């Protein structure tokens, strides 16, 4: 059974940093690209960042470019999102999602194909 | 950048009725690279349809997807109580999601 378990969310002041983690199990982690998708309270879905199987291709939404860094550790079956210079508009539930296509991203910007499995999310609240 | 527009915003129907949800892209979507997701309150999204018309694993056959180019449709043939939720479309190869259609009980 595929499982994605996010952690690391919490309440943080504007301008501070937070690191999210996603522990994956039930599939061969390094056979797939992985992504972070967020959902602000009461709003829709927003793709945040993606990474190919070997970290050779990485991409970010314009809204987080230069502030967030995605990474993965295939030996630990884990995905990470380092979030710096956090803003109030970053407040959201952050989901880890597995790319259903395979190891590569759909473009040089590492946009996703589709998401066949999602974690339950970790809530990030940016407020003073 | 491709924009996906879903309509209607809210669909009020009764159990047993047919639901037809639309997703329109601002540019042609290559190779039917479109997916649909269902999200219930307090839950993560769940993949329903990929490749515009292929059902994901475990998805009942009352869910079907169709369309190509710029116009795509998700059809729920007979609504079950558990189908009342928000539905999103997503285009592969871009960061685009539609804004969602809420299917609510009439």
């Amino acid at each position: 059974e595929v499982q994605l378990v996010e952690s690391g969310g919490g309440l943080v002041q504007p301008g501070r940093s937070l690191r999210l983690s996603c522990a994956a199990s039930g599939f061969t982690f390094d056979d797939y690209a992985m992504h972070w998708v967020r959902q602000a309270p009461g709003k829709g879905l927003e793709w945040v960042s993606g990474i190919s199987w070997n970290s050779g291709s990485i991409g970010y939404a314009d809204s987080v470019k230069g502030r967030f860094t995605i990474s993965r550790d295939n030996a630990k079956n884990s995905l990470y999102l380092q979030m710096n210079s956090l803003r109030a508009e970053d407040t959201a539930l952050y989901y880890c999602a597995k790319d259903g296509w395979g190891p590569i991203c759909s473009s040089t910007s590492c946009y996703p194909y589709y998401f066949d499995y999602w974690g339950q999310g970790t809530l990030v609240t940016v407020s003073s | 950048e491709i924009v996906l527009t879903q309509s209607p915003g809210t669909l009020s129907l009764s159990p047993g009725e047919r639901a037809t949800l639309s997703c329109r892209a601002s540019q042609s979507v290559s190779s039917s690279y479109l997916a649909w997701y269902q999200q219930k309150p307090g839950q993560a999204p769940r993949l329903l349809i990929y490749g515009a018309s292929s059902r994901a694993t475990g998805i009942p056959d009352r869910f079907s997807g169709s369309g190509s180019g710029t116009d795509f449709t998700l059809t729920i043939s007979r609504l079950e109580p558990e189908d009342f939720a928000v539905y999103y479309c997503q285009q592969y190869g871009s960061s685009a999601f539609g804004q969602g259609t809420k299917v609510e009980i009439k």
Side-chain angles (χ1 to χ4, degrees):
Chain A
E1 178 193 6
V2 172
Q3 285 199 317
L4 299 170
V5 180
E6 303 93 337
S7 60
L11 174 63
V12 61
Q13 293 179 328
R16 303 298 289 262
S17 298
L18 211 55
R19 189 193 195 210
L20 306 184
S21 299
C22 171
S25 61
F27 65 102
T28 304
F29 185 67
D30 56 7
D31 275 353
Y32 293 92
M34 296 292 296
H35 301 270
W36 290 98
V37 178
R38 70 184 180 183
Q39 187 170 34
K43 302 297 184 181
L45 301 169
E46 180 188 16
W47 175 81
V48 173
S49 182
I51 186 168
S52 63
W53 72 281
N54 64 350
S55 306
S57 181
I58 285 175
Y60 301 96
D62 288 344
S63 57
V64 307
K65 201 171 293 184
R67 300 187 298 121
F68 289 12
T69 302
I70 192 172
S71 61
R72 64 189 294 163
D73 185 336
N74 289 341
K76 294 183 177 180
N77 289 347
S78 293
L79 178 71
Y80 306 101
L81 187 68
Q82 177 67 43
M83 304 186 296
N84 298 333
S85 303
L86 282 161
R87 306 168 179 167
E89 54 265 35
D90 296 319
T91 294
L93 189 60
Y94 284 74
Y95 294 105
C96 167
K98 174 181 169 289
D99 198 302
W101 188 275
I104 61 172
C105 304
S106 68
S107 67
T108 54
S109 302
C110 207
Y111 291 141
Y113 282 95
Y114 56 92
F115 309 105
D116 61 349
Y117 290 96
W118 301 65
Q120 284 303 303
T122 187
L123 182 63
V124 172
T125 303
V126 184
S127 174
S128 54
Chain B
E1 182 179 322
I2 288 187
V3 175
L4 299 178
T5 302
Q6 293 186 240
S7 61
T10 302
L11 199 50
S12 299
L13 295 168
S14 301
E17 289 194 294
R18 181 184 188 89
T20 303
L21 287 66
S22 172
C23 176
R24 177 164 289 176
S26 58
Q27 304 172 36
S28 184
V29 174
S30 60
S31 303
S32 297
Y33 276 4
L34 192 101
W36 289 93
Y37 303 87
Q38 176 194 66
Q39 188 178 33
K40 299 178 183 179
Q43 295 186 18
R46 176 175 72 148
L47 176 68
L48 296 176
I49 300 287
Y50 62 97
S53 61
S54 297
R55 270 188 303 277
T57 303
I59 301 304
D61 61 7
R62 64 180 181 272
F63 291 92
S64 63
S66 63
S68 63
T70 60
D71 292 297
F72 297 86
T73 300
L74 175 70
T75 301
I76 311 171
S77 59
R78 288 181 335 275
L79 282 164
E80 297 288 341
E82 62 267 29
D83 299 336
F84 292 92
V86 179
Y87 294 82
Y88 295 95
C89 58
Q90 177 241 335
Q91 188 229 347
Y92 312 5
S94 82
S95 59
F97 282 98
Q99 81 279 18
T101 290
K102 181 179 181 181
V103 178
E104 65 175 23
I105 298 177
K106 186 174 180 180

